[in-house]
Amino acid sequence: MINRFGSEDILVFVQLSVVVFLVFFIPQLILHVNYFMRNKGDIFFYDPTGQKITLNHKGESLSFSFRDIELIKRFESYPLAENRMQWFPWDSYNYSVIRLKGGQKFIVTSLLVPNMDLPIDSDKIVLIKKFYPFIQS
């Protein structure tokens, strides 16, 4: 940069680089901490032969079959949901809310299960596209 533009603009380039880095880094850091705190210590076990899921959350273990699932809401970024090129560092983050027929709800983030494509009827899956998939509740 100094050879091409001179030494008087180097401070502007450094400041601009720091601002651009922070604009991309801080939202991803917030999202990563949000997902990590949600599924900290959780264990997700999927049994494809028995079509069962076992979820250990905060010391409690719950097993349920695919028949027990009422609805899965998948929250994904637009590029991930549409299988397009991902522009932002947080575009690969996603989470799913699993609601059982008994009324129980579980949130499974992409830090726990990177791809939540389970062999479940498509009428039980709702895809919600978001620019920034932050977990609200």
Side-chain angles (χ1 to χ4, degrees), residues 72-103:
I72 295 179
K73 287 185 183 179
R74 296 189 65 189
F75 294 85
E76 296 180 352
S77 66
Y78 286 97
L80 184 64
E82 297 168 1
N83 201 18
R84 293 187 288 131
M85 188 169 100
Q86 299 173 3
W87 290 92
F88 297 104
W90 58 83
D91 280 343
S92 62
Y93 285 72
N94 63 81
Y95 69 97
S96 299
V97 178
I98 301 173
R99 189 171 67 209
L100 301 179
K101 292 180 181 174

Side-chain angles (χ1 to χ4, degrees), residues 6-39:
S7 62
E8 60 273 354
D9 290 335
I10 193 70
L11 183 61
V12 173
F13 289 125
V14 168
Q15 290 172 341
L16 183 63
S17 298
V18 167
V19 167
V20 168
F21 174 76
L22 291 177
V23 163
F24 283 95
F25 177 72
I26 290 175
Q28 182 179 6
L29 178 66
I30 290 170
L31 194 64
H32 192 86
V33 169
N34 178 255
Y35 281 28
F36 177 77
M37 295 307 290
R38 178 63 62 167
N39 285 142

